[in-house]
Amino acid sequence: QVQLVESGGGLVQPGGSLRLSCAASGSIFSINAMGWYRQAPGKERELVARISSGGSTSYADSVKGRFTISRDNAKNTGYLQMNSLKPEDTAVYYCNAECHTIEGDYLQVWGQGTPVTVSS
């Protein structure tokens, strides 16, 4: 019913930047909160940043001041701008969205993940 597709991951040197995108498609009526999570090898998935439908944002302490979450409601797309990247930011990044569908369902939807590697 609803799909999320992430893009923008890759290999970057420490101190560099990347911008992740998360495009939602399908039978979407509206999207409430959107979030970015990450999972490093051998670790649990953790919340990186979250943005409400009204634009309120919250961040993990480890990324505050370096990452910025945003969204374009007209395009059903979310973004994560990542600056001053560190090797410890290396992980697979997942997008999550809380969606109301045209059929009247409420879904928690996950993307397939996009890998980010920070290394020299």
Side-chain angles (χ1 to χ4, degrees):
Q1 287 181 305
V2 178
Q3 301 82 37
L4 299 180
V5 177
E6 300 107 331
S7 61
L11 173 65
V12 64
Q13 292 186 341
S17 298
L18 284 175
R19 188 191 195 209
L20 306 183
S21 298
C22 172
S25 63
S27 57
I28 300 169
F29 178 75
S30 66
I31 300 176
N32 288 353
M34 298 184 76
W36 287 94
Y37 292 72
R38 67 186 180 187
Q39 187 166 19
K43 295 189 177 181
E44 293 186 355
R45 189 173 297 188
E46 63 174 354
L47 177 63
V48 175
R50 188 176 184 271
I51 185 168
S52 71
S53 57
S56 297
T57 59
S58 60
Y59 298 91
D61 287 343
S62 58
V63 306
K64 281 181 181 176
R66 300 188 298 122
F67 291 11
T68 302
I69 190 171
S70 61
R71 60 191 289 172
D72 185 333
N73 292 330
K75 295 181 179 179
N76 287 333
T77 299
Y79 305 96
L80 185 68
Q81 177 67 42
M82 305 186 295
N83 299 328
S84 302
L85 282 161
K86 305 175 181 180
E88 51 263 43
D89 294 317
T90 295
V92 178
Y93 284 71
Y94 297 90
C95 178
N96 173 270
E98 301 168 4
C99 302
H100 290 279
T101 69
I102 295 172
E103 293 80 10
D105 297 320
Y106 184 75
L107 303 176
Q108 284 267 1
V109 186
W110 290 91
Q112 82 286 355
T114 184
V116 171
T117 302
V118 184
S119 175
S120 55

